[in-house]
Amino acid sequence: MKIVCLFPGIGYTCDKPLLYYSWKMFAARGWKVVPVPYGGFPSGVKGNAKKMRKCAEMALDQAEELLKDINWNQYDSILFISKSVGTVAAGAYAARHHIRCRHILFTPVEDTFSFDMKDAIVFHGTADPWVNSDVIRNACRDAGLPLYITGNANHSLETGDVDTDIDIIKTTMKIVREYAERDNSGSGSVCPVAVSGKQ
């Protein structure tokens, strides 16, 4: 049995492209998909480290309640797909419950890398105003995590050009699918790897 949990961001809910298409793709392949629809976050979070940590704590607390009835031991494959502050909540939840899972980290923030996620892939846009690209590059290098970089893309991995953004989501979903389907002993991709545009 296979399960994937979706940990959204502050304003990036499970009906937004990265999580929506991940949901559809895994459901079509027979995975049990469990969204974690937390919310109620304060405003003015961007650039405020204290508020960001508060949001991560709120997300984790709500995830605890929403996922409390899941028996993780019954699953052969566990995948956490997370976005922004959700990447912190996913890492914290997996660590707290000693869950052996793989992670797909969409536009993580700096605090994400305080958790030891040995099997994960990371997606980042060079125009992301929430975190400096060098921070992401260095954190992925230090952790040995594959980093997929999209040039000129923001915190939603979008550029503002519709055709470009459709290409980005298509390429990103292909990478996600290949990562999920590969053997767990695989080494992943060399980091960093450009998804689209200039790095």
Side-chain angles (χ1 to χ4, degrees):
M1 295 177 65
K2 300 178 179 181
I3 186 171
V4 55
C5 292
L6 305 175
F7 292 78
I10 292 173
Y12 200 97
T13 53
C14 290
D15 59 354
K16 299 293 181 70
L18 292 168
L19 298 180
Y20 172 81
Y21 285 111
S22 294
W23 185 337
K24 298 283 282 188
M25 182 170 63
F26 283 98
R29 284 165 171 75
W31 290 60
K32 178 178 180 179
V33 180
V34 180
V36 187
Y38 41 66
F41 299 113
S43 59
V45 178
K46 185 170 67 175
N48 187 317
K50 185 176 180 180
K51 282 190 175 182
M52 177 65 76
R53 291 189 179 94
K54 176 62 177 177
C55 287
E57 291 172 3
M58 292 173 63
L60 178 59
D61 288 344
Q62 292 178 58
E64 289 285 357
E65 179 63 25
L66 292 164
L67 301 176
K68 66 181 181 181
D69 294 327
I70 294 178
N71 177 11
W72 300 103
N73 294 323
Q74 70 179 315
Y75 295 100
D76 303 312
S77 294
I78 301 171
L79 179 63
F80 285 180
I81 301 179
S82 54
K83 172 75 175 70
S84 186
V85 72
T87 63
V88 182
Y93 186 89
R96 178 180 290 179
H97 295 276
H98 307 288
I99 297 171
R100 296 188 63 178
C101 63
R102 291 187 286 168
H103 291 269
I104 293 170
L105 306 171
F106 288 129
T107 64
V109 295
E110 188 170 357
D111 285 348
T112 305
F113 301 95
S114 61
F115 301 98
D116 184 16
M117 291 179 271
K118 292 182 172 61
D119 197 342
I121 56 174
V122 181
F123 294 87
H124 170 73
T126 59
D128 189 337
W130 287 71
V131 63
N132 184 278
S133 292
D134 287 338
V135 170
I136 298 297
R137 290 177 193 269
N138 292 336
C140 288
R141 184 193 62 230
D142 292 345
L145 299 178
L147 170 61
Y148 294 90
I149 296 174
T150 304
N152 304 313
N154 62 18
H155 197 54
S156 299
L157 287 185
E158 296 178 351
T159 65
D161 179 82
V162 173
D163 290 335
T164 299
D165 294 346
I166 290 173
D167 287 340
I168 290 170
I169 195 72
K170 183 177 180 180
T171 302
T172 300
M173 289 301 107
K174 181 176 183 290
I175 295 167
V176 167
R177 183 180 68 249
E178 291 174 349
Y179 171 71
E181 292 176 349
R182 73 164 170 77
D183 187 296
N184 286 351
S185 63
S187 59
S189 302
V190 176
C191 89
V193 177
V195 169
S196 176
K198 297 178 181 179
Q199 291 190 44

